[in-house]
Amino acid sequence: MSGDERKLVDTSGDFQYVVRDGDPVADPKWRSCRLIVTNKRLVLATNGSKQPIPHSNITLPSNPDDLVPDGGTGGATALEVGNNVLLVDTPNLDDFETEYVRATLQGEVILARQQAVVGGVVQEDAEWSKARFQLDDDVIRLQFPGGKSMSFEIEDVGTIETGTSTVMGQEREVIEVEHTDDQGRSVETHISGMDHHTRALKTLFTRVIEDREDDYELSEMESQVLMALYSGVSPFEMSDFVGTTPDEVEEIYQKLLDIGAVDEVRVRTEVALNAQGRNMASEAMSEK
């Protein structure tokens, strides 16, 4: 490895190609290997030979089962490499996909626009800057030039949106990440970078949100309460704002606590939206 290449994951496992040059492999075979992930590449090592694959050539598909012929991934991690698809299985790692994403991003210089939106208001003076990305103990840290930094817990991410925009004079994919700041305000940090950075970031944030989602369907009144909390209405003013009784509001708060959409601030009456609740409120508002 070169001087600036760092080994971040080293484990045993198996891999197989299920698609080669765009065509399904007729009889794919698992091969035992040593899997090494550095900050620059994935290496599949078998019997003295090494197959290095740069991260820039790898895509984590959003719907992996659709790419794998005959029955899907079976719990393995699917990786697209050009017109090829391979499966990776690592029995010693609970979640190779997450470990791979962490490794590809750790210490990388990306592009970030902090507090691009504050309380739903676009901040026109927010500027793009280079930032070094770190993810340690489930806390994301962005280190900016001049010693400035920001951080937020990955579980605090409420919603993400993706699109394209001009970033530092170049059209790039942008990921808009909603979370709270140290004052408890809902803010958005916009993140971009090279293609493999944005692919990895999208996978990371999408996985966090999907892992805590359930199939609970909000009632009309529950949606009204969530959207009111999202808009900054005080829990103490809620019954008048949504036009119902304090007792019904208390029951709704309890239901929202049960499904993990709010955190209890004080016994009875006072609650505060968490990341899951902000996500649900945002979805409810988009449906109106």
Side-chain angles (χ1 to χ4, degrees):
M1 290 189 291
S2 61
D4 60 346
E5 186 172 10
R6 304 181 308 278
K7 183 166 62 177
L8 301 170
V9 176
D10 188 346
T11 188
S12 59
D14 304 281
F15 76 96
Q16 63 173 334
Y17 279 88
V18 292
V19 175
R20 279 192 180 275
D21 298 324
D23 295 321
V25 176
D27 187 20
K29 302 289 187 183
W30 286 104
R31 298 182 63 189
S32 296
C33 66
R34 177 184 171 198
L35 291 103
I36 301 168
V37 183
T38 75
N39 58 315
K40 295 184 179 295
R41 55 188 173 166
L42 166 69
V43 180
L44 306 174
T46 58
N47 296 327
S49 65
K50 294 182 179 179
Q51 182 181 347
I53 310 172
H55 295 317
S56 57
N57 293 349
I58 298 174
T59 299
L60 288 164
S62 55
N63 298 301
D65 286 335
D66 295 343
L67 295 176
V68 181
D70 302 327
T73 64
T77 299
L79 303 174
E80 282 187 274
V81 184
N83 292 326
N84 304 313
V85 178
L86 69 148
L87 299 181
V88 172
D89 185 39
T90 53
N92 296 326
L93 281 179
D94 292 335
D95 189 347
F96 176 77
E97 181 182 69
T98 298
E99 292 298 327
Y100 175 76
V101 167
R102 286 174 182 262
T104 62
L105 292 169
Q106 196 75 327
E108 290 290 282
V109 175
I110 61 170
L111 302 175
R113 186 170 175 243
Q114 60 175 322
Q115 295 197 337
V117 179
V118 178
V121 179
V122 176
Q123 306 298 296
E124 299 292 348
D125 58 347
E127 297 182 351
W128 286 98
S129 172
K130 292 182 179 180
R132 190 169 297 278
F133 183 97
Q134 295 287 340
L135 175 55
D136 298 306
D137 298 326
D138 294 326
V139 174
I140 290 174
R141 293 181 174 84
L142 298 178
Q143 186 73 40
F144 295 93
K148 294 182 179 180
S149 66
M150 65 166 291
S151 64
F152 57 92
E153 293 185 6
I154 192 169
E155 287 296 336
D156 186 47
V157 173
T159 62
I160 65 166
E161 298 287 343
T162 60
T164 58
S165 183
T166 301
V167 180
M168 293 184 166
Q170 184 175 341
E171 195 74 7
R172 297 178 184 269
E173 184 173 24
V174 174
I175 302 172
E176 302 172 357
V177 184
E178 187 275 341
H179 57 95
T180 55
D181 64 7
D182 54 7
Q183 300 177 49
R185 300 176 300 179
S186 172
V187 301
E188 287 184 14
T189 298
H190 293 179
I191 301 175
S192 187
M194 292 189 289
D195 288 345
H196 69 280
H197 290 151
T198 52
R199 289 197 300 263
L201 287 162
K202 188 190 305 183
T203 298
L204 176 68
F205 293 127
T206 300
R207 182 69 173 271
V208 169
I209 292 171
E210 289 179 347
D211 283 350
R212 64 170 177 250
E213 285 182 345
D214 57 30
D215 296 327
Y216 182 79
E217 188 167 340
L218 295 169
S219 69
E220 179 63 26
M221 184 56 71
E222 289 166 351
S223 292
Q224 293 292 331
V225 170
L226 265 182
M227 287 187 287
L229 287 169
Y230 191 75
S231 301
V233 175
S234 166
F236 299 103
E237 301 169 345
M238 187 61 66
S239 59
D240 290 338
F241 187 86
V242 299
T244 190
T245 65
D247 285 344
E248 184 176 359
V249 170
E250 289 285 349
E251 291 177 5
I252 291 173
Y253 286 163
Q254 186 56 56
K255 175 59 72 174
L256 297 177
L257 281 165
D258 291 343
I259 65 174
V262 297
D263 297 323
E264 190 171 60
V265 177
R266 189 176 302 158
V267 176
R268 287 191 67 81
T269 307
E270 190 172 1
V271 297
L273 278 183
N274 54 29
Q276 170 73 341
R278 297 196 307 275
N279 189 350
M280 296 172 71
S282 177
E283 291 181 353
M285 293 170 76
S286 68
E287 293 172 358
K288 297 299 179 181

